[in-house]
Amino acid sequence: MKVASISSSYIAPVKKPAFKGMFGSPSLSEKFRYGMEALDDNSILVVASNPERADMILKQYSDKITTPILKKYTLKVEEKDLKNREELDCDFAIFKQDKKYFALALGRGMFSSLMVKRPKEEAKRKEHIFGTGNVVELRDGVAIETGEMLWDEKPKLLFNPPYRFNTSAAEKYLQVKTINNVPDFNKRSIASLSTKNAVKDDKIGFTFADVGGLDDVIEQLRKYVVRPVNYPQVFENIRLNKGIMLYGPPRCGKTLLGKALANEVGAKYREYNANEFKSAQVGASESAIREVFAKAAADAPSITFIDEFDSIGKTRDGSSNARFDDPMVNQFLGCMSDLEKSKKPAFIIAATNMVKLIDPALLASGRFGLHLEVPMPNLEGLKQIFKIHSKNQPIQSDVPLETIFQKMFGGKFNGSDVAEMISDAYFNALERLGMFAKMDAKNFGYDDLKSISISFADFEKAIGRILKQKI
């Protein structure tokens, strides 16, 4: 995480604040201090004149926060809290990480900036002013400006590390929300993996960064798809491979590659199983195929992913099934030829575990002319996949990861096996720590959530179950 810092040798003394809001409504400064006292490594303080707008911007920049956020405190700044202003110049959020505090600017646009400097210090753009989405480390004694002309007044939002941890005042005077559905706010959670359910007719939030162990395949997709779509003028007179055949063992990332590719180029994504095209009604299968190609062209740039392609693209051999399969093969040949001739960046990706069954005419140049093997991951690939799926999981520091990698490699794990292993290990940890019993008794709490950790024994148990299923 790249952050800006406030450079100064001055360190303000930490003093125990004397609050004046004991018998009335606390001031803005007091509420700000309450919020700071409540922060731990899994909570966040949002200070905003418009909390709804701030939350929307916060979602856009949640990747700047690299720890799971489980609780959010919101300090709403009213017009009465400010002098000569209707609202803050820039909403912001404060979070704690590795015993340091950081502010994230949540401005309304490019001209709404967060100013962080010491009181009465001359403002310098590069040192003190931060645009929306920027993160700045907070140092003792700096003030987060409210946009008012303070002159000799003390700043209302003065940062000094709190001298105690106390959530009671914040829960009384600030808005508090427990983040139950973490992806709505922060994509990282100790209890969630990076996989998501497929949604047809829409883009999926995967990118190539979510795909491990397939660097060579990804580079080919960048070469033949990503760059031509992003820089069409360079490839204007070049015939592109609109058909891509992904082949290899099951559960090794073919579908994930299709989703990630669509997101990398900002393309419309559609996903089909080839068996969906089969119909006993004469001409219905061919019509369904033509409709898929028509949608792909109309929505260009688009990525259309067809899984289990061997079920309809088998070699035409005159067998008894030919009267069902041959018309579909012929229709695909015609549609692919038409698509290749067009200038529209619409790509059809077919996936199969048995490429030898595919009709050679479909695999020819001008049809599915780009063949990319998606193999079982090697040891280094398994390490990459593990790293992706275990991100922000509460793994104990003494877990011998190299031993786990060797067990996965020896067990011929694929990408799905790795994700399943990590998920199962997490469930094993919950069981070992007695969390299921607490859930059933309805006394599972926030502190229990923070105490979850995955041990080597939890991984071993998960690996054993998956290996037993693979036999």
Side-chain angles (χ1 to χ4, degrees), residues 27-33 47-48 75 77 82 88 90 92 94 114-117 119 141-148 150 154-160:
S27 68
L28 178 62
S29 298
E30 291 171 332
K31 291 179 181 178
F32 180 68
R33 173 60 66 173
V47 182
L75 169 53
V77 180
L82 303 173
L88 294 172
C90 184
F92 61 92
I94 295 180
L114 186 71
M115 183 181 293
V116 182
K117 65 180 185 65
V142 298
I144 302 174
E145 301 290 353
T146 58
E148 302 169 277
L150 294 173
K154 292 183 179 180
K156 294 179 178 176
L157 304 179
L158 183 66
F159 171 76
N160 281 307

Side-chain angles (χ1 to χ4, degrees), residues 2 5 21-22 48 50 60 65 74 93 115 145 170 174-175 184 232 237 268-269 285 343 354 398 409 416 426 428 447:
K2 295 182 178 179
S5 61
M22 300 296 289
N50 188 324
Q60 298 175 22
I65 305 172
T74 299
M115 183 181 293
E145 301 290 353
L174 306 183
Q175 300 173 20
D184 284 346
N237 298 316
K268 184 75 173 181
Y269 178 80
S285 297
K343 292 291 184 179
M354 296 174 285
D398 60 348
F409 184 65
S416 294
Y426 184 82
N428 293 338
D447 290 336

Side-chain angles (χ1 to χ4, degrees), residues 434-445 448:
M435 298 301 177
F436 290 149
K438 289 191 174 186
M439 292 176 186
D440 294 342
K442 300 187 184 303
N443 59 8
F444 181 87
D448 293 316

